[in-house]
């Protein structure tokens, strides 16, 4: 059922919320906005974000600010979530898979602190909890 929904929405944009900094400054410049998230293009995936990290670099984007920052920025360098849809040419990842992604917040679409993100498939890895747990126990 979930994969059917993902297949239907794969080539459509959707509206979701994101964290943004409306200007330079302290925590008072942080706000939530609604934005349109495009469908994934070739070699990309769209992820429904379940968790996004807050890193020291995220604070630097608003205080003292990123050089030449001309518009709102969505912070966040990493996210964990579920693949909602995949673009053409993506064969190693599938809708419904739990994944972890590295995200560049300086790109036009911003970073990981959003309900949905579109990222290159090359920056996404499957979440392998069982494998990691067994690996840690064997050390």
């Amino acid at each position: 059922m979930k994969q059917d929904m993902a297949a239907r929405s794969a080539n459509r944009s959707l509206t979701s919320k994101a964290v943004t900094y409306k200007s330079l400054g302290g925590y008072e410049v942080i706000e939530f906005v609604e934005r349109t998230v495009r469908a994934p293009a070739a070699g990309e995936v769209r992820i429904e974000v379940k968790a996004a990290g807050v890193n020291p670099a995220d604070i630097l984007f608003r205080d003292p600010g990123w050089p030449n920052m001309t518009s709102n920025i969505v912070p966040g360098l990493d996210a964990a979530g579920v693949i909602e849809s995949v673009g053409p040419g993506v064969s190693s990842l599938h809708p419904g898979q739990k994944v972890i992604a590295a995200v560049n917040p300086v790109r036009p679409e911003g970073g990981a602190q959003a309900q949905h993100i579109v990222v290159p498939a090359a920056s996404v890895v499957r979440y392998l909890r069982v494998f990691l747990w067994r690996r840690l126990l064997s050390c």
Side-chain angles (χ1 to χ4, degrees):
M1 177 77 172
K2 190 166 188 147
Q3 284 188 333
D4 292 338
M5 288 175 32
R8 286 194 301 264
S9 67
N11 56 6
R12 293 186 313 193
S13 62
L14 54 83
T15 302
S16 72
K17 293 182 180 174
V19 173
T20 189
Y21 302 152
K22 61 185 176 184
S23 62
L24 299 180
Y27 64 87
E28 72 279 356
V29 304
I30 301 170
E31 64 181 23
F32 293 95
V33 297
E34 288 218 355
R35 66 180 188 159
T36 301
V37 180
R38 65 181 175 80
E44 295 179 323
V45 299
R46 184 163 58 195
I47 299 171
E48 180 182 354
V49 176
K50 301 295 185 182
V54 177
N55 298 285
D58 297 324
I59 296 167
L60 294 176
F61 287 125
R62 64 176 168 80
D63 185 17
W66 191 258
N68 302 318
M69 188 172 88
T70 57
S71 62
N72 292 354
I73 187 168
V74 176
L77 298 165
D78 43 39
V82 178
I83 293 181
E84 186 266 338
S85 57
V86 299
V90 177
S91 59
S92 61
L93 299 167
H94 307 284
Q97 282 183 319
K98 293 179 181 180
V99 293
I100 300 169
V103 185
N104 180 359
V106 184
R107 65 198 183 118
E109 296 169 309
Q113 293 180 15
Q115 284 181 309
H116 294 87
I117 57 174
V118 176
V119 295
S123 67
V124 176
V125 295
R126 290 183 311 149
Y127 176 67
L128 302 172
R129 186 177 125 208
V130 173
F131 172 77
L132 293 173
W133 183 249
R134 286 182 182 158
R135 192 79 163 145
L136 288 172
L137 290 176
S138 67
C139 291

